[in-house]
Amino acid sequence: MAASELYTKCARVWIPDAEEVWKSAELTKDYKNGDPSLQLLLEDGTNIDHKLDPKTKNLPYLRNPDILVGENDLTALSYLHEPAVLHNLKVRFIDSKLIYTYCGIVLVAINPYETLPIYGSDIINAYSGQNMGDMDPHIFAVAEEAYKQMARDERNQSIIVSGESGAGKTVSAKYAMRYFATVSGSASEANVEEKVLASNPIMEAIGNAKTTRNDNSSRFGKYIEIGFDTRYRIIGANMRTYLLEKSRVVFQADEERNYHIFYQLCASSHLPEFKNLKLSSANDFLYTRQGRSPVIDGVDDTKELCTTRHAFTLLGINESYQMGLFQVLAAILHLGNVEIKDRDSDSSLIPPNNRHLMAFCELVGVNYQDMSQWLCHRKLKTATETYIKPLPRLQATNARDALSKHIYAKLFNWIVEHVNKALITNIKQHSFIGVLDIYGFETFEINSFEQFCINYANEKLQQQFNMHVFKLEQEEYMKEQIPWTLIDFYDNQPCINLIEAKMGILDLLDEECKMPKGSDDSWAQKLYNTHLKTCSLFEKPRMSNRAFIIQHFADKVEYQCEGFLEKNKDTVNEEQINVLKASKVPGTGGRTRLSIKPDKGRERSSKEHKKTVGCQFRNSLQMLMDTLNATTPHYVRCIKPNDFKLAFSFDPKRAVQQLRACGVLETIRISAAGFPSRWTYQEFFSRYRVLMKQKDVLPDRKLTCKNVLEKLVQVRCWSFFYCLFNCMQFKLRADKLRAACIRIQKTIRCWLAHKKYHLAKFMRRTQAATIIQKYQRMCVERKRYRQKQAAALAMQTMLRAYMARQKYQLLREHKAVIIQKHVRGWLARCWYKRCLYSIVYLQCCIRRMRARRELKKLKIEARSVEHFKKLNKGMENKIMQLQRKIDEQKMARAIAEETQQLETDLNEERSRYQNLLSEHLHLEEKYDDLKEEMALSSVRYTHIAIITYERFTLLICNHTQSSCHVHHFTVGFFFINKFKKARGAELEYESLKVSKNRIKSKFKKGLFKAIKRQIPKFFTYYFAATPTLFTSQRQELESENKKLRHDLAEMRQSLLGDAATGAGAPGSPAYKVLLDQLNSACEELEVRKEEVLILRSQLVSQKEAMHHRVKMAFHHLLVFIQQRRLHDFHKLNEDGELWLVNQGLKETIRLLEHQLQTQRRGYDNEVEALRGELQNVKEENNRQQQLLAQNLQLPPEARIEASLQHEITRLTNENLDLMEQLEKQDRTIRKLKKQLKVYSKRIGEMGAGQTEGQTSPGQMVDEPIHPVNIPRREKDFQGMLEYKKEDELKLVKNLILELKPRGVAVNLIPGLPAYILFMCLRHADYVNDDQKVRTLLTSTINSIKKILKKRGDDFETVSFWLANTCRFLHCLKQYSGDEAFMKHNTSRQNEHCLSNFDLAEYRQVISDLAIQIYQQLIKCMENILQPMIVSGMLEHETIQGVSGVKPTGLRKRTSSIADEGTYTLDSILRQLSAFHSTMCQHGTDPELIKQVVKQQFYIIGAVTLNNLLLRKDMCSWSKGMQIRYNVSQLEEWLRDKGLMTCGAKETLEPLIQAAQLLQVKKKTDEDAEAICSMCLALTTAQIVKVLNLYTPVNEFEERVSIAFIRTIQTRLRDRCESPQLLMDTKMIYPVTFPFSPSSLALETIQIPSSLNLGFLTRV
């Protein structure tokens, strides 16, 4: 198949274009050999006839398939040529917003002129440790490749960054250095990486300036060597500079600036420390205003100076040195403003007292007269004499400018020297990575000496680049054992020879500089004479005799000879230098030596002193090339997309020009000259499987590929084949796939047509039937509707008539009822008022009459104290009788009789009350006697008040039943008033009157509130006191229980007594007695049970009844009080009776509450004790019954023995319980003794006696019980471990430092070290040794930290100590004594609580330690999972055959690290299972395991998503399917482990949505809306990034249009979210340690001998 056969109809080609450089077109007709032209259709629809060159007959370049457009590596393209490269860069830059692209070993970086969020620490972490071909192109990938090759190959590396001014060289070099500083760290505590980065703002301030092409253009070249130690950590750096543009100090073109430092000083001139510099605005100085652009948009020069000064400080240049530098810089500005005037045609002068020259001399520290003279004069020396020659104004001005340039160059070198000193350390350098930031190839309208040197340097670099590319190609061919044929490539050695060889341009320039009358014109003539006819690369312009043209590798450049000699000489007036030697720059500690004046120690011979700039540059360039040749280079070519600094704007002309100049196209040409397309066997098989027949497919992929390619070329590991064959295979594959698609489409369309035909036929029949049905149903429904309408009208008529009649009747009856209601109400009220008035009048008359009678009686009886006592006694008896009668109110007749009796008593007592009032004066005379008697009868009065209060409540409750019950309301008042007046006899008469008047005035507001407040207290007392009614029954029950226990003791004694004589056999008297007593005890127990139940039921019923009665009483009282009018209360409140009642109620209730609380506590204690005794009796009864049943089943001989054995066991248990109690008491006594000693020492008292003769706990155990073999119970273990203080180190060493987690986790209980440490801590707390507690906890914490520091990368160790630390923390909480942590403890565990120390502060410390261990666990886990995630989740094809295969680039093939084994999803799942099983074996809390798993899944999701966002080759439909399948497998793992509720699935939501985004449709607005509603867990930046990176893997997929992406951005514009692109893989969720008490009893823990803890003693 010939190449011409590819030019068929619909084939797309590239044709040259004047505007776009290359334009795409499509063939409308097949090309045949011999055709003079091609019929093409342009993209704009224009048809053209493209003429072929009649001599060469070269066909236009073919265009790559769309699926290859936008590739990361240009070498992966099927067609490698200039238009393909240009188009691929344009698509990536404009459509995908990707600025980096690989071109073989070169990274092409296009300046976006916009700040992009792709240089953060998250991006650095994403690229760290990754292979270069695995990630999208980036400057970080090149830096990582250099770093890994340095570590792997033990070879120094270099990163060569080149490009035009404004292409972004400085930024790229800066980011490369930032990457090294971030990933490598520092080898010392001096923060060397910060110093390396701090050198950037300094060098930018003194070496960068604004140009027409770049706002921050580097005007010098620099090579920074970053040194590393043996562990590949930064230890220092060294900087070399090349060819500073000194002419910029004194001259700037339009729209350009001087170096940034000058403008920073002028902008900060207002600061106090800069006042002595005498600076002002930049427009006031000649050296800063020539460009007429003193300000850069978006740059604050004042802030930039602060950054520069901070960088100076960080590098060790103190304030005094900084001020010295600023003085020199200000002096240069003042020197530029020194005005030189003409004295005559051959001389010049400086006006006297020139303020700028005075400022210069003052700042530099030189003599004004000397400097003024030598600026306008020059000293000439001959063999015999010395002349002083005046200088014309022009020459004097040039001399002034030369001095300024000299001073600035010396200052620049001094700063570089001190920066290097600050970056050098004493640690030996093992290797280095050099970053070369050097100017690219330059060509302007006027090119001078600077451009000549720059292009000369680029010629040398291009030669080195070509040789390196050629060398790599040769090594690749040799590795594949391919026959080597020489590849022809451009060699620029002739151009280099033209410049630097003997009699070359530089040699002739140096020779002309030595001539006394050498000039630029004479030098030009020498060049013409020497090279014009001998060298084809040298040309002479037609219209000029003072210029020459050199054919460089990139382009032809015309250089103007004017100024070459002067710039090459770089001469300065020697007398001016001598003046500067005497300068004294103020500074700390005397003179500060700056490099503005020569150093005597550096003076050399005159020959070396006169070395030209070109010679110096050639030597330094040769040193640079030697350094680069000794390292492994990495190339970064920066491209400037346009000349107007527009963001993401691409100018094809400028781009092609730079691509040709930087060697990118040369790399492509070298690759295309050999075997550009390279595939692995598996990739080739997957790609071209469709071209093979079934019989050609063999299990061995290599053999299969060989069968297909056996006639082409022989390979070993890679499949190499020429570009033509690749294109043919690609075309054959596309044709076959297209034919298969057509066949599938044909079949489907045929099926759809058949289906449509049958569907149409069926639809016609259906439509006809539907019409018939429609009319038929319409008739039926119309008839039915009319019938229903008639029926509804009839019903409505009848219903409306009925409703009208009902409404009329209702209105008539309602109005009559209202009238009757009002009339009857008025009559009832009138009758009620008359009755009420009559009743009140009658009561007043009766009360007055009875009061008079009672007054007479009281006057007689009041004189006798004995009679008063009897009266009170009679009152008490009557009150008790009334109480009993009220309690027995169950029958209506009894209630009526009681009511009459109470009315009679009320009248009698009221009359007595009136008599007592009249005899009040007589009672005052007997005050002293009554006071003594009242003290004796106060208790009795209290009981009277209680009973009276109860009677008062019941009477009020019954008041609503009958109007006559009004008198009952006053009965209670009478008795309580009687009691209060008796107690108030000691008050004066006048105070009673005042109180009476006050209470009457406040009665209206306070009565109801007081009664309502006091009555609930009484109710509470009444209910609480109810249980005392059953005290007698409880006492009887206690006596019966004592009797039962007595009988049981008798039975036991009889059983023991008869056992010795053998009288306990069945049928014997003793046995019968035992049986009868046991039966009677059981019957008695049942009776007591029934009694207890009856008592409980009675108690509950009475409580409920009483509660109901009291509620009703309270309700009636409130209703009664609310219904009574105010004048009724005035009648009832005669003589302040209600106030006295209120006060009595308060005092009585306080007394009753106190008694009630006392009785309630006693009652509760007694009931609890009785319940316990009853339970014990029940248990004993059950045991006796079981024993009896067992004995009845045994033979007669064994019954007695079994009974004895049971009784002996019971006695033994009782004996052990008593021993345990005695031992506890003994410990308590010892503890109290120790405390007593401490207190005795504190107060200084000596001779305190100590109790002796205490019984040892072991005495009772040693006493013989019976000669029967009874198993003896061991002494109880209290769950404590005792150790000596000197054994503490041994404890920590054996239990923590030297413990192997694997053996402990497998063979012993989980958390054993934590339990052992806590048991030791318990003993220290038990003996009250605070020093021991403190040292043990401190040693434990420090030892755990030490072992984690030593083995922190071992997951098993970290997991083990995380589990034990948490268990130790939970033990401290569980046994702390806090009720919140003791809820789930057993009684035994509560006994083990700490008793002397509160370790809350140590709990916090241990909690912080647990958090640190958790973070270490996450870090260790992340280090293990990190290498697996990308390979297993993204790269591995879990579903075989889904992903398409495209050719890989050179970067993918030449990865720096060989494939050491591919991780799969199963590898990740196995590792997760290993993590889970390890934590479970160590006894980690389940809640903590859930948090760990959640963090694991977050890391998996974040790393996978970040790599997806940084890899264009992974953003495809098939990869989205793979990701979703992998996520489903992770969810299945969660489901198997029971961890679906831990929140781990939610952490994968961003990854799931990204996979869905790759699979959904991305065309219409509806698709955009669906994407916005679906991708809620993704940020806008992530969504747009995925859409930009989406890449079809075959010809039938479509790219995402720019318009669709903009639609997405518009819809997501209102989202409030972080602009960060990548997820934070270092983020750790906050961890919590939920309290998890242990059910394990401390006394059951056994210490294995393998732990070597024999020195611990169990207590």
Side-chain angles (χ1 to χ4, degrees), residues 1056-1070:
L1056 292 174
D1058 296 339
T1061 59
S1068 63

Side-chain angles (χ1 to χ4, degrees), residues 1575-1623:
C1575 301
L1576 299 178
L1578 296 175
T1579 64
T1580 303
Q1582 291 171 343
I1583 295 173
V1584 173
K1585 183 70 172 179
V1586 171
L1587 294 177
N1588 279 324
L1589 294 179
Y1590 183 79
T1591 305
V1593 295
N1594 55 54
E1595 298 83 354
F1596 310 106
E1597 296 184 42
E1598 295 183 3
R1599 295 182 179 273
V1600 182
S1601 64
I1602 301 298
F1604 183 83
I1605 296 176
R1606 290 176 180 172
T1607 302
I1608 292 290
Q1609 290 176 321
T1610 304
R1611 292 179 180 272
L1612 300 178
R1613 184 171 48 200
D1614 297 333
R1615 275 195 184 182
C1616 297
E1617 57 191 8
S1618 172
Q1620 189 173 0
L1621 175 64
L1622 301 185
M1623 295 181 66

Side-chain angles (χ1 to χ4, degrees), residues 240-421:
R240 283 184 277 171
T241 60
Y242 304 95
L243 198 63
L244 175 69
E245 187 183 7
K246 294 186 293 183
S247 61
R248 183 168 292 273
V249 177
V250 298
F251 174 77
Q252 307 91 42
D254 287 344
E255 299 300 324
E256 293 190 356
R257 293 204 324 175
N258 205 330
Y259 291 104
H260 295 323
I261 189 66
F262 293 113
Y263 300 92
Q264 294 174 7
L265 286 174
C266 292
S268 305
S269 60
H270 62 280
L271 298 178
E273 59 267 27
F274 293 151
K275 292 296 183 181
N276 61 336
L277 300 183
K278 301 178 181 180
L279 295 176
S280 58
S281 173
N283 290 323
D284 297 335
F285 296 96
L286 176 65
Y287 287 166
T288 55
R289 67 168 180 257
Q290 298 179 66
R292 293 180 295 182
S293 180
V295 178
I296 301 176
D297 294 338
V299 177
D300 187 347
D301 289 318
T302 304
K303 292 183 179 180
E304 293 297 323
L305 182 63
C306 293
T307 304
T308 304
R309 296 179 68 181
H310 177 71
F312 273 127
T313 304
L314 190 60
L315 291 177
I317 301 177
N318 56 33
E319 289 292 334
S320 63
Y321 275 85
Q322 293 180 32
M323 291 307 300
L325 294 174
F326 298 149
Q327 288 181 21
V328 175
L329 292 169
I332 294 174
L333 293 178
H334 286 292
L335 183 60
N337 276 15
V338 174
E339 184 179 2
I340 302 176
K341 297 183 177 180
D342 288 325
R343 175 180 295 174
D344 51 39
S345 60
D346 295 331
S347 62
S348 60
L349 59 84
I350 298 176
N353 298 326
N354 186 288
R355 64 185 184 91
H356 289 290
L357 183 58
M358 292 176 65
F360 171 79
C361 295
E362 180 182 351
L363 292 172
V364 179
V366 298
N367 185 270
Y368 177 84
Q369 297 297 332
D370 294 342
M371 184 55 65
S372 176
Q373 179 184 5
W374 294 114
L375 283 175
C376 300
H377 297 79
R378 183 178 181 183
K379 183 182 290 187
L380 298 177
K381 292 183 180 181
T382 61
T384 58
E385 296 180 352
T386 300
Y387 299 94
I388 296 177
K389 178 184 178 182
L391 297 176
R393 186 178 65 84
L394 181 59
Q395 293 184 8
T397 301
N398 292 336
R400 180 200 66 186
D401 293 343
L403 179 61
S404 299
K405 293 189 291 184
H406 174 78
I407 294 174
Y408 191 83
K410 292 295 183 180
L411 183 66
F412 181 86
N413 294 333
W414 185 91
I415 293 175
V416 172
E417 180 181 353
H418 280 71
V419 168
N420 287 335
K421 287 182 180 179

Side-chain angles (χ1 to χ4, degrees), residues 1434 1442-1444 1446 1508 1511-1523 1554-1560 1562 1586 1589-1594 1597:
L1434 285 178
V1442 174
S1443 299
K1446 297 194 296 182
L1508 184 69
R1511 298 184 62 170
K1512 193 173 185 294
D1513 58 324
M1514 292 296 170
C1515 293
S1516 61
W1517 181 90
S1518 57
K1519 190 56 65 176
M1521 178 179 289
Q1522 295 278 7
I1523 294 173
Q1556 293 173 344
L1557 180 59
L1558 293 175
Q1559 292 186 286
V1560 298
K1562 297 175 275 292
V1586 171
L1589 294 179
Y1590 183 79
T1591 305
V1593 295
N1594 55 54
E1597 296 184 42

Side-chain angles (χ1 to χ4, degrees), residues 1100-1262:
V1100 173
S1101 62
Q1102 290 188 10
K1103 279 187 178 181
E1104 294 177 351
M1106 185 58 64
H1107 180 64
H1108 178 70
R1109 287 165 56 195
V1110 174
K1111 283 182 63 178
M1112 294 299 298
F1114 183 65
H1115 175 70
H1116 292 317
L1117 177 60
L1118 295 179
V1119 173
F1120 171 75
I1121 293 174
Q1122 292 173 357
Q1123 291 177 352
R1124 298 299 294 167
R1125 300 299 181 183
L1126 183 60
H1127 64 272
D1128 296 334
F1129 284 109
H1130 281 298
K1131 294 176 182 179
L1132 293 173
N1133 192 28
E1134 295 179 357
D1135 299 328
E1137 293 172 348
L1138 293 180
W1139 179 81
L1140 295 175
V1141 170
N1142 187 21
Q1143 295 297 324
L1145 285 175
K1146 289 182 179 179
E1147 296 182 5
T1148 304
I1149 288 173
R1150 282 196 294 269
L1151 179 61
L1152 293 177
E1153 285 179 350
H1154 177 69
Q1155 295 177 357
L1156 175 62
Q1157 292 175 1
T1158 305
Q1159 292 179 3
R1160 183 184 294 173
R1161 287 194 294 268
Y1163 170 75
D1164 292 341
N1165 295 335
E1166 291 175 359
V1167 170
E1168 189 67 29
L1170 289 174
R1171 286 178 180 173
E1173 292 180 1
L1174 183 61
Q1175 184 67 23
N1176 293 335
V1177 172
K1178 290 172 62 178
E1179 293 177 357
E1180 185 65 25
N1181 186 19
N1182 292 333
R1183 286 196 296 268
Q1184 294 291 344
Q1185 289 180 356
Q1186 292 176 2
L1187 178 62
L1188 183 60
Q1190 293 176 1
N1191 289 342
L1192 293 175
Q1193 296 177 359
L1194 294 175
E1197 296 80 6
R1199 291 178 183 175
I1200 298 176
E1201 183 178 357
S1203 300
L1204 291 175
Q1205 183 68 26
H1206 174 75
E1207 188 65 20
I1208 291 171
T1209 303
R1210 184 186 62 78
L1211 293 174
T1212 303
N1213 294 334
E1214 291 182 356
N1215 189 16
L1216 292 174
D1217 293 338
L1218 293 174
M1219 287 172 56
E1220 183 178 357
Q1221 296 177 4
L1222 184 60
E1223 190 173 4
K1224 289 182 178 179
Q1225 294 176 359
D1226 188 44
R1227 288 199 301 268
T1228 304
I1229 291 172
R1230 287 200 301 268
K1231 181 178 179 181
L1232 294 174
K1233 284 182 179 180
K1234 291 181 180 179
Q1235 294 179 356
L1236 182 60
K1237 289 180 181 179
V1238 174
Y1239 295 147
S1240 299
K1241 291 179 182 179
R1242 291 179 180 177
I1243 63 178
E1245 294 180 358
M1246 304 298 294
Q1250 299 181 2
T1251 305
E1252 298 179 358
Q1254 298 293 337
T1255 304
S1256 173
Q1259 292 178 355
M1260 297 181 65
V1261 180
D1262 297 335

